[in-house]
Amino acid sequence: MSTILFSIHEGVGVITLNRPDKLNSFNREMSLALQEALDKCADDVSIRAVYITGAGKGFSAGQDLSEIVGSSALSMKQILSEHFNPIVDRIRQLPKPVIAAVNGVAAGAGANIALCCDIVVAAQSASFIQAFSKIGLIPDSGGTFFLPRLIGWQKASALAMLGDKVNATEAERMGMIYKVIPDEGFGSATLQLATTLAQMPTEGLALTKQALNQSFSNNYRQQLELEDKLQQKAGDTEDYREGVSAFVEKRPAVFKGK
């Protein structure tokens, strides 16, 4: 059975983490397969948005601990440099919006891979856990970078050190995620959100993502200069011209991602 399921639905690259019997915990095979699926999404011009979810009852329980014990154990360096860091980097650099549809528990690296996505939606029954401190580790997979930027220093410090479980409602309240969606109909509702994004002016969305990425390190003046540069690029797109024409002509716009 493939550890990653991949399909295309109305311009959306649908990626499903598929180790449901292990709560979709990451082993080497699934980590490399997810990187390959993200590369497909980046290269295929027919894919204009990406949707990541989990099979079964969980999004992902993080690293499969059975791979870090025994004589054939993978090293921490190998897991981070070959598995999780490349996944996070691909998501952030992918010039298309990436939605994490968190259908159940998201723990450890599973939580942080979800939180590095552009938009995170969670089922009512979902939860997020920075489980690293329970076994003497630090949050990885971008956790120490994204979490304090999402929810602030104090909350991030407490969650990272105490390892509290955060339910979906609380995650939305503190700004960790975009929205909570009822369990019933969660899959169809969140996939529709991804489909909506795929029908938008996705070249502009890619430039927005680029601007947000660089805002993490730019100062105010540098960010204004970047906005100037990227806005000129956005203004040269076919979708911008279509959007203005549709507005003036009082009709729905038809965007092509160009």
Side-chain angles (χ1 to χ4, degrees):
M1 183 173 66
S2 176
T3 57
I4 293 289
L5 302 179
F6 180 79
S7 62
I8 301 175
H9 172 80
E10 296 183 17
V12 178
V14 179
I15 299 172
T16 304
L17 309 179
N18 190 42
R19 300 185 73 212
D21 57 323
K22 302 291 185 181
L23 282 178
N24 302 317
S25 59
F26 281 87
N27 61 5
R28 182 171 176 81
E29 180 185 355
M30 191 168 88
S31 300
L32 297 180
L34 177 54
Q35 293 175 43
E36 183 179 344
L38 290 168
D39 287 342
K40 286 181 182 177
C41 291
D43 294 340
D44 190 335
V45 295
S46 73
I47 295 174
R48 295 173 57 191
V50 180
Y51 174 93
I52 304 175
T53 194
K57 297 180 179 180
F59 180 79
S60 173
Q63 172 62 37
D64 186 338
L65 297 183
S66 68
E67 284 199 335
I68 61 174
V69 296
S71 58
S72 59
L74 299 174
S75 68
M76 290 293 179
K77 180 175 178 57
Q78 188 175 15
I79 289 170
L80 293 182
S81 65
E82 298 181 11
H83 299 180
F84 294 139
N85 291 352
I87 289 170
V88 171
D89 194 48
R90 278 169 167 79
I91 291 171
R92 290 312 318 151
Q93 297 306 315
L94 206 157
K96 301 170 186 182
V98 181
I99 293 180
V102 180
N103 55 303
V105 66
N112 292 334
I113 286 170
L115 295 178
C116 85
C117 293
D118 299 303
I119 298 176
V120 186
V121 289
Q124 187 73 50
S125 60
S127 59
F128 299 82
I129 312 170
Q130 296 293 320
F132 304 91
S133 63
K134 305 292 187 180
I135 56 173
L137 295 178
I138 72 162
D140 58 31
S141 307
T144 61
F145 184 84
F146 293 105
L147 197 61
R149 286 166 170 79
L150 289 168
I151 63 174
W153 184 277
Q154 273 293 314
K155 281 285 189 181
S157 294
L159 294 182
M161 293 181 181
L162 295 172
D164 293 341
K165 179 186 287 188
V166 178
N167 64 40
T169 300
E170 180 66 5
E172 180 185 348
R173 187 197 66 77
M174 69 174 66
M176 185 185 294
I177 66 172
Y178 168 55
K179 186 180 289 188
V180 178
I181 295 175
D183 288 4
E184 185 176 355
F186 175 76
S188 59
T190 53
L191 186 56
Q192 181 57 51
L193 178 60
T195 303
T196 297
L197 282 170
Q199 294 169 350
M200 291 179 68
T202 45
E203 182 65 24
L205 299 186
L207 294 171
T208 298
K209 183 170 183 174
Q210 183 180 341
L212 291 172
N213 279 342
Q214 292 185 234
S215 74
F216 289 137
S217 57
N218 279 351
N219 61 34
Y220 160 72
R221 178 55 57 186
Q222 290 170 329
Q223 195 65 16
L224 287 182
E225 291 172 355
L226 178 64
E227 288 176 357
D228 186 320
K229 174 184 174 183
L230 297 182
Q231 194 71 296
Q232 291 181 57
K233 287 187 176 181
D236 287 337
T237 62
E238 291 182 22
D239 281 343
Y240 167 69
R241 292 189 290 274
E242 165 63 10
V244 172
S245 296
F247 179 82
V248 171
E249 297 166 11
K250 295 181 172 56
R251 61 172 174 81
V254 179
F255 297 116
K256 299 179 180 180
K258 297 180 180 179

